[in-house]
Amino acid sequence: MNVLVVGGAGYIGSHCVRQLIAAGHKPVVLDNLVYGHRAAVPEDTPFYPTNLGNEKEVGKILRKEKIELVMHFAAYAYVGESVTDPLKYYFNNVAATLHLLRCMIGSGVKKFVFSSTCATYGIPEKMPLVETMPQAPINPYGQTKLDVENILKSFAHAYGLSFAAFRYFNAAGAAEDGSIGEHHDPETHLIPLAIDAANGVRPPLQIYGDDYPTPDGTCLRDYVHVDDLSRAHIAVFSKLSTPGAALFYNLGTGTPTSVLEIIAAVEKVTGKPVPRSTGPRRAGDPPALYADSTKAKTELGWTPQFTSIEAIVETAWKWHEANPKGYAKA
Ligand code: UFG
């Protein structure tokens, strides 16, 4: 299938591009490179550095490349920044998505895979999370993702758009061959920061609070390998042949892992200590978030291949060890 990967030069998008190629599909990447890395996209994959607001150009790409399905990874994802600059988030995550959807409807492309997030659930009352639990985001980032989920529902009803929205838990790790990996600027995520601290290329890690109501006092998250996430995006293709399909899936391993357990895994895998200190809680961090992904398992036959945190961290370490500064600029 010819697939337009919007945000295909970003962390999850670039891994999905490789998985699409491995599965025999033809990805075409659109990425304005605000946060993406050209080097994360294979040289021979068609690449367009276009903004979604340029509907004329996006429409042309859809037609020229005979696109059958669009995957949309391009979003700003800094929770804290979304609180201080919500305008940026609503414009990029919601308004830009509307441009993309209008181009798709205009060009007759009616299959869509959307990157959503467990942040749409807010601070849940029960764990693990199932898809039917109430969604009440506690920050603009989560709200923008929920807004798009709702937009998609109405488009499925009105225009026969078929879509799957994947609610990711904590994407982690890197390609097994070490070719691509995680490089955010600024970096805020636990695993790359812990690895960089061990590697001596960043200051000591700060643990954001150790007084949570969890077994060791630090937050619990559900770390899922980025290639496992990518494989779910492809497993859903056959379901999108039904016009108006509106599908929502949690993607996580279901295993809660604490901040201290991540540090221990990084120390084991790298063989180096992680210099750290304990600081106050980070605003907006729920104590625990982990998934019940039974729906994805049952309906898509999706089973995460990376089931231990050490195995995930090993792939991240392989990337960081070879690329301590991430991708070269440009
Ligand atoms: N943490 C630290 N120190 C750090 C960085 C993180 O202790 O320097 C802790 C956080 O407090 C949290 C855990 O490590 O408990 C994981 O933090 P990340 O920033 O790596 O990931 P989040 O769980 O905050 O964020 C992820 C996604 C977001 C999404 C969010 C939903 O990266 O895109 O889940 O809550 F919005």
Side-chain angles (χ1 to χ4, degrees):
M1 182 135 53
N2 296 342
V3 180
L4 184 69
V5 185
V6 179
Y11 173 42
I12 305 174
S14 61
H15 285 79
C16 210
V17 165
R18 310 253 165 174
Q19 293 292 325
L20 281 164
I21 294 168
H25 297 288
K26 186 185 168 240
V28 172
V29 170
L30 186 154
D31 195 306
N32 64 9
L33 297 181
V34 168
Y35 286 118
H37 306 276
R38 180 64 184 89
V41 181
E43 292 244 323
D44 55 354
T45 296
F47 179 82
Y48 296 91
T50 309
N51 278 313
L52 290 176
N54 188 347
E55 287 193 28
K56 212 171 142 195
E57 180 65 18
V58 175
K60 251 196 237 167
I61 296 165
L62 291 173
R63 290 185 291 275
K64 179 176 167 230
E65 300 286 356
K66 299 190 170 49
I67 296 298
E68 299 158 87
L69 181 148
V70 175
M71 291 184 178
H72 184 26
F73 296 94
Y76 294 153
Y78 294 111
V79 170
E81 184 186 53
S82 79
V83 176
T84 54
D85 193 1
L87 195 63
K88 176 172 172 178
Y89 279 71
Y90 283 99
F91 261 105
N92 189 69
N93 295 6
V94 182
T97 303
L98 283 169
H99 284 299
L100 173 61
L101 289 168
R102 184 157 60 190
C103 291
M104 288 176 58
I105 304 294
S107 307
V109 181
K110 294 207 168 171
K111 294 178 184 173
F112 193 66
V113 180
F114 178 61
S115 299
S116 190
T117 168
C118 61
T120 58
Y121 293 109
I123 302 185
E125 280 173 16
K126 272 194 296 186
M127 216 52 68
L129 278 155
V130 292
E131 289 83 352
T132 46
M133 283 181 181
Q135 288 172 289
I138 57 163
N139 51 61
Y141 166 67
Q143 186 62 51
T144 62
K145 292 289 184 175
L146 181 57
D147 289 348
V148 173
E149 286 195 6
N150 288 327
I151 288 166
L152 292 174
K153 266 189 230 167
S154 62
F155 278 37
H157 178 75
Y159 311 124
L161 181 83
S162 302
F163 76 89
F166 287 115
R167 296 177 189 149
Y168 306 151
F169 283 66
N170 288 60
E176 279 178 279
D177 64 3
S179 57
I180 54 172
E182 185 169 13
H183 175 180
H184 296 107
D185 190 13
E187 186 56 82
T188 60
H189 296 97
L190 177 62
I191 293 176
L193 289 177
I195 288 178
D196 284 354
N199 222 4
V201 297
R202 279 187 204 267
L205 180 75
Q206 196 177 137
I207 298 168
Y208 295 144
D210 63 356
D211 57 351
Y212 283 96
T214 59
D216 67 19
T218 64
C219 288
L220 297 170
R221 293 288 180 273
D222 183 339
Y223 297 88
V224 52
H225 196 275
V226 63
D227 278 340
D228 280 324
L229 290 181
S230 301
R231 283 187 274 269
H233 291 62
I234 298 167
V236 82
F237 282 3
S238 60
K239 296 246 170 233
L240 299 179
S241 301
T242 311
L247 304 167
F248 300 90
Y249 297 101
N250 287 339
L251 294 181
T253 64
T255 306
T257 305
S258 74
V259 174
L260 293 181
E261 286 170 332
I262 291 291
I263 292 171
V266 169
E267 292 189 329
K268 190 168 165 204
V269 167
T270 62
K272 304 175 190 218
V274 175
R276 78 265 203 170
S277 62
T278 302
R281 292 182 178 194
R282 183 172 67 178
D285 271 344
L289 281 175
Y290 50 98
D292 180 331
S293 294
T294 306
K295 189 175 178 220
K297 286 178 188 150
T298 315
E299 293 188 9
L300 307 179
W302 179 75
T303 312
Q305 291 178 16
F306 289 84
T307 50
S308 84
I309 195 62
E310 278 90 9
I312 292 174
V313 170
E314 259 169 38
T315 63
W317 172 233
K318 188 168 180 178
W319 158 255
H320 284 276
E321 194 180 22
N323 306 275
K325 292 187 174 163
Y327 294 105
K329 272 257 171 279

